[in-house]
Amino acid sequence: MNIGFFAKKEQLEQALACVYSLESLHRDIDITICVPSDAVQIYTLRFEHEDLKIISIEVPYLLHEFPFMDKLLAASIYEQAHKHFIWIDVDSYFLKPFTGFIKEHGILVNPVDIKNVGLSTDQKMSPYFETCLKQFNLETTTYQSNIFKTTITKESIYPYFNMGFVIIYDNKFIFKQALDAFYEVFNHPIISKLVSESYLYAIFLHQVLFSLSIIKSYFYDDIHVLPPYYNYPLHLIKKDATPPDINLLQHFRYDTFFNHVDEDILKLLPEYLRVNAHLLKQ
């Protein structure tokens, strides 16, 4: 099983927690950490006794202007070497061994947690999505021919996926496609105007392009939602009208959870996270 993720210099503790959780549950995994070139040395020293691979990533200056584009770049490099793989966020923690995955062609992914810049089914096509759709030569009718539910707010939206946990059985180089699309649309007049009006459009551009790359590359029948209790956003649990039993979670992302820790939830988490909670702030 090949697993990769991207981590910045300041995310060393998060990377340690992620690797620790994986290695405590699985022996048959190959872990790769993609890091910016200025962080290679500290990661190499910290993980020198671990059986994993560290890839140095040169991040162009332009990508720093759009949040998470560096993560998309890293994923586009990582996917070149693997036919089957799992791509996760660095703020991931695994509680139980992998179970319930569908072993077939296609991709497993979750819809976004909250709609943010996504399109509800009662909304008209936005200029933002319309511009990006044209870059992928996707028809609006094709894009809108399937509907998903956001994981936290339970809103009905058109395809818009989370990049925090992606399982690919049939590699179609979706991350590279998304990155190539970014270089074409980032300075498009419509995108530039929207980004100047709201930074949310910059924050989530990587996720929109990632989602459209999936729609372009896979038939809807090959796009599967992850099994329950994977990729749960722990930092949003208070916004979830039907929060899960923590004891049933297989994997979660915690993002800003440790910035404002909920002590009741913290008590239910693994000892490593309780003891090192102060190190896992964003």
Side-chain angles (χ1 to χ4, degrees):
M1 183 183 302
N2 302 302
I3 298 179
F5 63 89
F6 175 70
K8 298 180 182 180
K9 183 182 293 185
E10 64 272 19
Q11 294 174 316
L12 180 59
E13 293 298 333
Q14 292 179 313
L16 284 166
C18 182
V19 170
Y20 173 84
S21 71
L22 278 167
E23 291 184 339
S24 66
L25 296 170
H26 296 278
R27 295 180 181 273
D28 57 339
I29 55 172
D30 292 310
I31 302 173
T32 299
I33 309 176
C34 302
V35 301
S37 56
D38 65 350
V40 170
Q41 185 175 5
I42 63 169
Y43 273 83
T44 300
L45 289 173
R46 190 63 183 86
F47 287 99
E48 63 178 337
H49 300 300
E50 300 291 335
D51 184 20
L52 53 75
K53 185 177 182 181
I54 296 173
I55 296 179
S56 175
I57 304 292
E58 294 291 340
V59 183
Y61 181 78
L62 170 64
L63 298 190
H64 291 293
E65 298 181 15
F66 288 78
F68 309 115
M69 280 298 171
D70 49 5
K71 180 174 68 173
L72 184 62
L73 169 66
S76 74
I77 293 171
Y78 176 79
E79 72 180 349
Q80 301 302 312
H82 303 285
K83 184 178 181 181
H84 312 292
F85 64 92
I86 300 175
W87 180 262
I88 59 177
D89 277 353
V90 63
D91 61 337
S92 288
Y93 201 86
F94 293 83
L95 298 167
K96 299 175 183 178
F98 299 125
T99 58
F101 293 158
I102 305 170
K103 291 178 169 54
E104 58 178 76
H105 292 294
I107 182 172
L108 277 78
V109 67
N110 268 352
V112 292
D113 307 316
I114 297 172
K115 181 175 76 71
N116 50 64
V117 300
L119 287 174
S120 297
T121 53
D122 58 357
Q123 287 180 294
K124 294 181 179 179
M125 176 59 66
S126 70
Y128 186 61
F129 266 85
E130 190 173 55
T131 303
C132 294
L133 280 167
K134 287 180 180 178
Q135 183 56 45
F136 286 93
N137 293 316
L138 280 170
E139 296 291 337
T140 299
T141 51
T142 300
Y143 176 67
Q144 294 182 327
S145 61
N146 211 331
I147 297 171
F148 295 84
K149 289 274 189 182
T150 57
T151 61
I152 296 298
T153 52
K154 311 302 189 287
E155 298 168 88
S156 295
I157 60 169
Y158 294 117
Y160 181 28
F161 304 113
N162 186 282
M163 200 173 144
F165 195 118
V166 186
I167 304 175
I168 292 179
Y169 292 116
D170 184 14
N171 188 0
K172 296 181 183 293
F173 305 102
I174 56 171
F175 297 112
K176 178 64 163 55
Q177 290 184 59
L179 185 66
D180 288 345
F182 165 74
Y183 286 119
E184 296 295 327
V185 304
F186 80 93
N187 63 354
H188 188 285
I190 291 177
I191 299 297
S192 297
K193 179 177 183 295
L194 291 169
V195 166
S196 67
E197 293 173 351
S198 173
Y199 198 53
L200 284 178
Y201 289 110
I203 292 173
F204 295 110
L205 182 57
H206 77 290
Q207 201 156 253
V208 170
L209 297 175
F210 163 69
S211 301
L212 296 184
S213 181
I214 291 175
I215 300 305
K216 178 70 175 180
S217 302
Y218 295 95
F219 294 113
Y220 275 119
D221 286 347
D222 288 329
I223 302 173
H224 309 282
V225 174
L226 287 165
Y229 308 117
Y230 282 94
N231 199 31
Y232 186 79
L234 192 65
H235 54 292
L236 297 176
I237 194 167
K238 290 296 186 181
K239 296 184 178 182
D240 194 339
T242 57
D245 181 343
I246 296 295
N247 295 311
L248 296 179
L249 289 182
Q250 304 277 98
H251 159 271
F252 62 77
R253 292 174 289 116
Y254 50 84
D255 196 5
T256 56
F257 174 83
F258 292 104
N259 293 0
H260 307 284
V261 174
D262 183 310
E263 294 296 336
D264 291 334
I265 296 175
L266 185 63
K267 293 175 185 176
L268 302 174
L269 299 182
E271 183 179 4
Y272 179 92
L273 295 179
R274 297 199 305 271
V275 173
N276 297 284
H278 65 290
L279 299 174
L280 298 174
K281 294 182 178 180
Q282 285 283 55

